[in-house]
Amino acid sequence: MIFCNKLAWLPCIIFALFSTTIDASEIYRSVDSQGRVTYSDQPSDGAQQLAISNQPSRHLYNVARVYDGDTIILEDRKQVRLLGINTPEIQSRVRDQEPGGIEAKQWLQKQLQDKKVYLEFDQVRRDKYKRLLAHVFTPDGKHLNLMLLENGLAAVSIIPPNGRYSEKLIRAQQKAEKQKLGIWSMPEYQPRPITQIANHNKGWQRFTGIPARIKKNRKYTRLIFDDKIDIRVSNANLDQFPPLDSYVGKLLEIRGWVSRKKDNYTMLIQHPSALVPQ
């Protein structure tokens, strides 16, 4: 139960509405005979129910520059990685340029000419590189993560537990793919048989193959294609997927990044959107 007195009503009611540790779908305001105001998540005689918006909170930030198609730098030098998507890489000290990377960066620069954005965070706010993870909106309401997908400039990359807007993102990608926009028309991103995985390029790739069996250990469940090729799903994320044995014996398209250990190749799949039945 949430109670706030009159003297501290503002910080308390803000806490009640936005704290992630309190699930208060209703807030009531009441005034006693001595004029004292209290707020509660439980109704009482004479209490007035307050309207609560379900809109996730967004905060305005100033943008210093666009780093690449899915990363921006704020005025305070914090990096923001756009949630739910991946765009091709641009040239850097550690990476080669990938087809479509410059186009995605230039498009994002054009959208951010006024240098202000609203950021909306999900459950995990930072990645392993300490970058902020956010959905990015312009002051006039454009959802830039979504629009990059709509224009074929990005691919869906959902990493649980961050899954906000996932259905919208997937639908936007499906439409762009069907229309062969952007990366979906480029030969470098066309699917290849998974038996060719040893000849893979660095970066995001698409392969097709039929898994033969499942193997499970303490950390991962793997779909095995042959004795040197598999894809793995973290057991912590299995609840995001249909039963993995439903994929066995069926032609799949697998989307993601290839890892190699000696002569063995694997791809970490974190969301069902990266496994597309054919």
Side-chain angles (χ1 to χ4, degrees):
M1 184 177 296
I2 306 162
F3 289 103
C4 307
N5 61 40
K6 185 176 181 180
L7 295 177
W9 73 270
L10 181 57
C12 186
I13 199 66
I14 290 173
F15 172 79
L17 295 180
F18 297 112
S19 171
T20 59
T21 61
I22 294 178
D23 182 16
S25 58
E26 297 178 342
I27 297 293
Y28 297 87
R29 178 182 185 273
S30 59
V31 183
D32 66 15
S33 59
Q34 296 180 332
R36 293 177 296 191
V37 179
T38 59
Y39 294 88
S40 173
D41 59 348
Q42 300 294 324
S44 59
D45 291 340
Q48 177 186 3
Q49 183 175 351
L50 303 180
I52 299 177
S53 173
N54 290 325
Q55 176 67 41
S57 60
R58 299 174 185 171
H59 302 281
L60 188 64
Y61 295 83
N62 293 320
V63 177
R65 64 186 179 93
V66 171
Y67 177 76
D68 61 16
D70 54 33
T71 309
I72 61 177
I73 312 296
L74 304 179
E75 277 192 348
D76 60 7
R77 298 185 179 180
K78 291 179 181 176
Q79 293 190 30
V80 179
R81 179 67 160 77
L82 276 64
L83 270 173
I85 67 169
N86 177 74
T87 61
E89 302 292 344
I90 60 170
Q91 185 72 40
S92 71
R93 292 185 296 105
V94 296
R95 294 186 180 92
D96 293 330
Q97 180 175 307
E98 297 175 351
I102 293 297
E103 291 85 345
K105 178 180 179 178
Q106 290 176 342
W107 183 91
L108 191 57
Q109 286 174 323
K110 184 177 180 180
Q111 305 305 312
L112 296 178
Q113 289 179 347
D114 67 356
K115 301 295 185 181
K116 292 184 181 295
V117 293
Y118 284 93
L119 300 185
E120 182 180 314
F121 302 105
D122 206 335
Q123 295 186 51
V124 176
R125 291 174 65 111
R126 292 184 183 272
D127 64 12
K128 63 182 180 181
Y129 305 109
K130 307 303 181 183
R131 297 176 299 187
L132 291 170
L133 302 171
H135 288 276
V136 179
F137 297 83
T138 61
D140 60 356
K142 293 178 182 177
H143 186 182
L144 298 184
N145 313 49
L146 184 69
M147 293 179 68
L148 281 158
L149 291 167
E150 290 174 337
N151 286 279
L153 298 168
V156 166
S157 181
I158 298 170
I159 302 176
N162 289 342
R164 185 172 294 170
Y165 301 117
S166 58
E167 292 184 4
K168 288 184 177 180
L169 299 179
I170 292 168
R171 287 197 300 268
Q173 174 176 267
Q174 290 171 338
K175 185 175 181 180
E177 185 177 355
K178 185 176 181 180
Q179 296 175 343
K180 297 188 183 302
L181 301 179
I183 64 173
W184 305 108
S185 66
M186 296 180 181
E188 294 86 356
Y189 301 114
Q190 300 311 302
R192 292 174 290 141
I194 203 165
T195 52
Q196 298 178 14
I197 198 169
N199 302 321
H200 74 282
N201 299 318
K202 292 182 179 180
W204 184 83
Q205 298 287 301
R206 300 166 68 194
F207 295 96
T208 57
I210 301 175
R213 58 189 177 90
I214 287 179
K215 182 179 180 180
K216 187 172 184 178
N217 61 23
R218 183 178 58 84
K219 190 172 182 181
Y220 295 107
T221 300
R222 298 176 186 263
L223 288 169
I224 309 296
F225 292 84
D226 62 31
D227 60 350
K228 293 186 177 181
I229 301 172
D230 66 67
I231 60 175
R232 68 193 195 278
V233 176
S234 170
N235 292 335
N237 290 337
L238 285 176
D239 61 347
Q240 303 283 330
F241 291 78
L244 291 192
D245 58 8
S246 66
Y247 293 115
V248 173
K250 297 180 180 178
L251 181 63
L252 304 175
E253 182 185 318
I254 306 100
R255 301 174 175 182
W257 291 262
V258 177
S259 299
R260 176 183 177 183
K261 186 176 182 180
K262 296 183 179 179
D263 291 331
N264 294 290
Y265 296 86
T266 185
M267 298 173 70
L268 176 63
I269 304 301
Q270 305 197 69
H271 189 268
S273 56
L275 288 180
V276 184
Q278 299 300 292

